[in-house]
């Protein structure tokens, strides 16, 4: 049975609860799903409880949003230990996202567009705050005819209210995942088009590339498959499903074989054993 390794819930900018995601995954007979919310693992406990012993397997994951030289680079982490190693960094990222939202609101104000921060907080709820929440607030306040238009006019990179994430660069993101016992994977590299950075990411501990992705062209897939084969990286994939109201395809429509999840788990277990035995791998001195 296949696995979908890239899914967002209401813990970040998705529209489905972890429980709804588990239910949908069962409906389409997935063996494993990874919850990969932006900068948070808050949805994972609920997904684990919803899956219980009947499955699907819930892979504790994350997607860390970073910026490097103006490019948006996202790092996925799989089989994370949900402990103290993550908590501090994620708390910093949550606050940084709130401050960034305030900066975006200030830029919108210069365009005579008034979004009330309290309104935005109601839209985001307990989620890590992101541009999709601001897009929804703009739509609800009548400044855009859709969230998509809000991005096109104001929020997308290069538009007047765009603000980058400042806290993490991709190297720090890889380090954060490794410290939490996770396996770092480069998300949708076909979007950022920064292939020249891949060797440096690998040198810093990257172990996979998201090859199978809804918006990758056949040329992208072939190129990243080749890089993975040459460099011994795991080929991952998934839908990036955000639930209704987004352009991403439904859960389970882009998948990888179950063996891919087992390979990631193996890498995670091997690192844990090495660390317990005090064997210093290349990742330990970062
Ligand atoms: P942020 O983490 O605040 O930078 O927001 C990134 C998220 O915004 C992505 O994960 C997508 O869910 C969404 N997004 C990015 N670009 C667009 C776009 N052009 N249209 C709609 N949603 C977008
Ligand atoms: Fe998103
Ligand atoms: Fe992403
Ligand atoms: Zn994503």
């Amino acid at each position: 049975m296949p696995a979908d390794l890239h899914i967002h819930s209401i813990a970040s900018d998705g529209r489905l609860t972890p429980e709804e995601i588990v239910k949908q995954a069962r409906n389409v007979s997935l063996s494993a799903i990874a919850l990969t919310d932006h900068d948070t693992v808050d949805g994972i406990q609920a997904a684990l409880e919803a899956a219980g012993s009947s499955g699907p397997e819930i892979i504790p994951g994350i997607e860390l949003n970073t910026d490097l030289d103006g490019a948006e680079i996202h790092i996925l982490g799989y089989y994370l230990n949900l402990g103290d190693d993550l908590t501090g960094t994620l708390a910093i990222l949550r606050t940084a996202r709130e401050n960034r939202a305030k900066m975006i609101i200030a830029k919108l104000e210069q365009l005579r567009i008034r979004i009330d921060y309290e309104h935005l907080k109601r839209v985001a709820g307990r989620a890590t705050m992101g541009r999709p929440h601001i897009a929804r607030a703009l739509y609800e306040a009548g400044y855009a005819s859709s969230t998509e238009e809000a991005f096109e006019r104001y929020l997308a990179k290069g538009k007047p209210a765009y603000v980058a994430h400042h806290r993490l660069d991709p190297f720090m993101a890889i380090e954060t995942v490794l410290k939490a016992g996770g396996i770092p994977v480069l998300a949708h590299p076909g979007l950022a088009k920064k292939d020249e950075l891949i060797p440096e990411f690998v040198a810093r501990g990257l172990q996979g590339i998201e090859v199978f992705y809804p918006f990758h062209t056949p040329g992208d897939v072939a190129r990243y498959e080749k890089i993975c084969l040459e460099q011994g990286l795991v080929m991952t994939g998934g839908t990036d499903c955000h639930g209704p109201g987004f352009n991403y395809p439904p859960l389970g429509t882009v998948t990888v074989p179950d063996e891919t999840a087992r390979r990631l788990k193996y890498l995670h277990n091997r690192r844990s054993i090495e660390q317990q035995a005090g064997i210093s791998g290349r990742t330990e001195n970062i």
Side-chain angles (χ1 to χ4, degrees):
M1 283 200 296
D4 185 337
L5 302 182
H6 194 152
I7 302 167
H8 295 272
S9 78
I10 56 165
S12 66
D13 57 9
R15 300 303 297 271
L16 299 171
T17 63
E19 291 84 357
E20 287 166 331
I21 288 168
V22 168
K23 198 168 157 206
Q24 286 197 12
R26 281 182 183 149
N27 288 343
V28 294
S29 300
L30 294 176
S31 57
I33 56 173
L35 202 56
T36 52
D37 274 307
H38 300 290
D39 301 346
T40 183
V41 293
D42 283 356
I44 287 166
Q45 192 54 38
L48 287 168
E49 282 167 23
S53 55
S54 32
E57 180 192 357
I58 308 297
I59 300 169
I62 201 163
E63 182 175 27
L64 295 169
N65 291 40
T66 82
D67 288 273
L68 186 69
D69 304 335
E72 288 182 35
I73 294 175
H74 297 176
I75 301 291
L76 294 157
Y78 293 113
Y79 288 102
L80 299 160
N81 300 325
L82 304 178
D84 295 346
D85 286 332
L86 269 179
T87 318
T89 304
L90 297 188
I92 292 168
L93 294 180
R94 178 177 285 272
T95 308
R97 276 180 170 275
E98 287 165 7
N99 291 336
R100 169 175 175 254
K102 287 176 187 162
M103 286 159 74
I104 292 175
I105 285 178
K107 283 198 162 186
L108 287 168
E109 242 165 51
Q110 287 173 6
L111 305 168
R112 301 184 181 284
I113 293 173
R114 288 188 190 283
I115 293 295
D116 179 26
Y117 185 68
E118 293 307 313
H119 176 200
L120 178 61
K121 269 173 66 174
R122 278 196 299 279
V123 170
R126 290 160 65 187
T128 48
M129 207 177 263
R131 282 178 291 161
H133 302 115
I134 303 175
R136 236 152 77 207
L138 284 166
Y139 166 70
E140 285 177 7
Y143 290 111
S145 60
S146 66
T147 51
E148 209 40 60
E149 191 191 283
F151 267 93
E152 286 313 308
R153 287 175 68 169
Y154 307 114
L155 303 173
K157 190 160 172 297
K159 304 297 173 181
Y162 177 76
V163 178
H165 288 279
H166 287 297
R167 288 311 300 211
L168 280 191
D169 67 27
F171 305 106
M172 294 157 78
I174 290 170
E175 183 185 334
T176 300
V177 170
L178 289 170
K179 274 195 176 147
I183 304 304
V185 170
L186 180 60
H188 45 65
L191 304 191
K193 303 194 190 315
K194 287 279 179 187
D195 291 2
E196 66 275 17
L197 293 169
I198 291 175
E200 207 177 335
F201 293 156
V202 173
R204 298 283 282 266
L206 190 83
Q207 285 174 286
I209 294 179
E210 187 174 50
V211 174
F212 308 103
Y213 187 72
F215 307 119
H216 275 176
T217 64
D220 288 334
V221 172
R223 190 166 70 256
Y224 297 121
E225 272 182 334
K226 185 163 176 278
I227 293 174
C228 285
L229 289 171
E230 283 170 356
Q231 309 213 21
L233 301 170
V234 183
M235 299 180 211
T236 74
T239 51
D240 208 353
C241 171
H242 281 64
F246 280 84
N247 244 343
Y248 303 96
L251 203 87
T253 52
V254 177
T255 56
V256 288
D258 187 46
E259 292 85 72
T260 306
R262 274 186 260 143
R263 174 91 191 140
L264 292 169
K265 192 173 193 173
Y266 164 78
L267 291 171
H268 160 79
N269 288 340
R270 195 180 66 179
R271 281 245 328 282
S272 307
I273 291 166
E274 281 172 1
Q275 280 173 357
Q276 275 165 22
I279 303 164
S280 74
R282 67 175 171 186
T283 58
E284 284 212 276
N285 299 323
I286 291 174

